[in-house]
Amino acid sequence: TRTPVNVTVTGAAGQIGYALLFRIASGHLLGADVPVKLRLLEIPQAVKAAEGTAMELDDCAFPLLRGIEITDDAEVAFDGTNVALLVGARPRAKGMERGDLLEANGGIFKPQGKAINDRAADDVRVLVVGNPANTNALIAQAAAPDVPAERFTAMTRLDHNRAISQLAKKTGSAVSDIRKLTIWGNHSATQYPDIFHAEVAGKNAAETVSDEQWLADEFIPTVAKRGAAIIDARGASSAASAANAALDHVFTWVNGTPEGDWTSMGIPSDGSYGVPEGLISSFPVTCAGGAYEIVQGLEINDFSRGRIDSSVKELSEERDAVRGLGLL
Ligand code: NAX
């Protein structure tokens, strides 16, 4: 029998946490044959709510769930952790400036990065979901110099999945027919969902659609502003779909991308495609053997170039801002 994998979830009492934990415990994070131990990190005021969720997890009698520990101490939460899902973050309050938001999140992600550095297992993999996800991941990574930088990733899989779904609708195809879609840049409104290399049932997606106006005026804004549309409709931000994307991200990272396809992950840039080295930006990646690799050699047309550059510019500005705050 396998040793359980330690999975830490921060912000466990939040709405994404609630949508995420039951699926982790039922085998959707790593696989149906991998037992897990959960560590839930919350702020002191939310520990009781997390305990309530843990009671419900107990009541599911999940065969793969080998234990739940709840704490408000990051050192305890990340002790021996193999997979860390950093979901808890400071939301933007009304009237809050971007600098204040970055600073408040620095207060969360810097100590968590340090605790991961000091306590996590050697094979730790980190996914940052809490916004601003890319820059929060950068802050955590900078606080963890002993952990290989590439273990810190940010979630753009929800954007990737949203784009697949929109493209399938437009082309009247099944989502399983869509391949090689890419989200570039920041998980924000500047992100660029790229269909120029994507395929619909084996045919080039951009040629199949052949409608640049749809691309520029509908597809890209629909994907980039989907979060706001969900809030408008549901009265609350994306939760189950965000949790689902977090599961997809880690599952793919650990278990690999299918032959002939790739996925999108926010990862530290190695300078590929003109993205400054070190920025945590979304790229097309393939995964195998528990590691990811940027898909190389894609031709970037002028349309794509401008959009990638403007999202990357935003990431550079965020990096400069957190550097100015002494967070890097
Ligand atoms: P909620 O406000 O429902 O839950 C957040 C939880 O985090 C709360 O229970 C809070 O007590 C906890 N928390 C705050 N500070 C903490 C700390 N220092 N340590 C541990 N826990 C802490 O938010 P929810 O809807 O669950 O969203 C969580 C985050 O995901 C937000 O930052 C949100 O913006 C972000 N999202 C990111 C997405 C992505 O694609 N990357 C999409 C969905 C989502 O909007």
Side-chain angles (χ1 to χ4, degrees):
T1 60
R2 289 187 61 159
T3 326
V5 174
N6 293 320
V7 179
T8 303
V9 178
T10 77
Q15 53 152 4
I16 294 176
Y18 194 75
L20 186 59
L21 292 167
F22 297 86
R23 294 188 62 199
I24 296 173
S26 55
H28 292 96
L29 182 73
L30 297 161
D33 55 346
V34 185
V36 292
K37 278 189 177 172
L38 283 171
R39 300 271 179 66
L40 313 186
L41 180 67
E42 260 296 351
I43 53 174
Q45 312 85 283
V47 162
K48 189 174 174 203
E51 285 169 353
T53 305
M55 288 163 69
E56 284 201 76
L57 284 160
D58 280 343
D59 295 349
C60 295
F62 288 121
L64 291 173
L65 183 56
R66 299 299 159 80
I68 312 172
E69 205 178 323
I70 301 153
T71 178
D72 61 8
D73 182 348
E75 300 279 329
V76 174
F78 294 115
D79 190 38
T81 200
N82 306 106
V83 178
L85 305 175
L86 309 190
V87 179
R90 180 71 191 277
R92 188 189 285 256
K94 247 205 177 99
M96 203 178 194
E97 296 295 330
R98 192 179 62 168
D100 299 335
L101 181 75
L102 292 171
E103 188 162 24
N105 279 294
I108 295 173
F109 287 88
K110 193 173 177 179
Q112 289 184 1
K114 185 173 185 318
I116 289 168
N117 189 68
D118 297 348
R119 297 297 196 102
D122 286 345
D123 70 347
V124 68
R125 288 184 176 82
V126 183
L127 168 62
V128 177
V129 175
N131 280 322
N134 300 53
T135 296
N136 288 341
L138 189 64
I139 293 168
Q141 184 217 81
D146 302 330
V147 177
E150 74 269 14
R151 304 287 186 74
F152 284 84
T153 65
M155 188 164 95
T156 52
R157 184 63 174 264
L158 178 55
D159 309 301
H160 180 94
N161 288 345
R162 285 166 171 167
I164 286 179
S165 182
Q166 294 299 322
L167 182 58
K169 276 198 171 74
K170 170 74 177 173
T171 55
S173 56
V175 289
S176 54
D177 286 335
I178 311 286
R179 291 186 175 195
K180 299 185 177 175
L181 194 131
T182 306
I183 303 294
W184 298 92
N186 199 1
H187 167 69
S188 76
T190 66
Q191 65 173 271
Y192 172 50
D194 177 358
I195 67 165
F196 286 101
H197 306 282
E199 294 171 3
V200 180
K203 293 203 181 76
N204 181 274
E207 284 164 23
T208 303
V209 172
S210 185
D211 184 349
E212 202 155 297
Q213 198 181 348
W214 173 80
L215 186 62
D217 299 344
E218 281 188 55
F219 174 73
I220 294 171
T222 299
V223 173
K225 294 180 191 160
R226 187 71 164 179
I230 301 282
I231 292 173
D232 187 47
R234 211 172 79 86
S237 57
S238 318
S241 56
N244 180 69
L247 297 163
D248 282 352
H249 177 111
V250 174
F251 188 92
T252 304
W253 188 357
V254 171
N255 295 302
T257 38
E259 190 62 41
D261 200 3
W262 65 60
T263 189
S264 304
M265 291 169 71
I267 57 168
S269 175
D270 62 358
S272 294
Y273 297 103
V275 181
E277 199 176 333
L279 284 181
I280 296 192
S281 188
S282 188
F283 285 97
V285 299
T286 52
C287 302
Y292 59 78
E293 220 175 280
I294 297 175
V295 176
Q296 295 294 342
L298 300 177
E299 206 178 294
I300 306 298
N301 63 21
D302 290 346
F303 183 92
S304 296
R305 187 74 262 165
R307 286 170 193 261
I308 294 170
D309 288 349
S310 65
S311 193
V312 166
K313 180 166 169 276
E314 182 183 50
L315 284 171
S316 296
E317 289 166 2
E318 288 183 12
R319 177 169 67 177
D320 292 347
V322 295
R323 204 177 257 156
L325 293 164
L327 293 167
L328 297 186

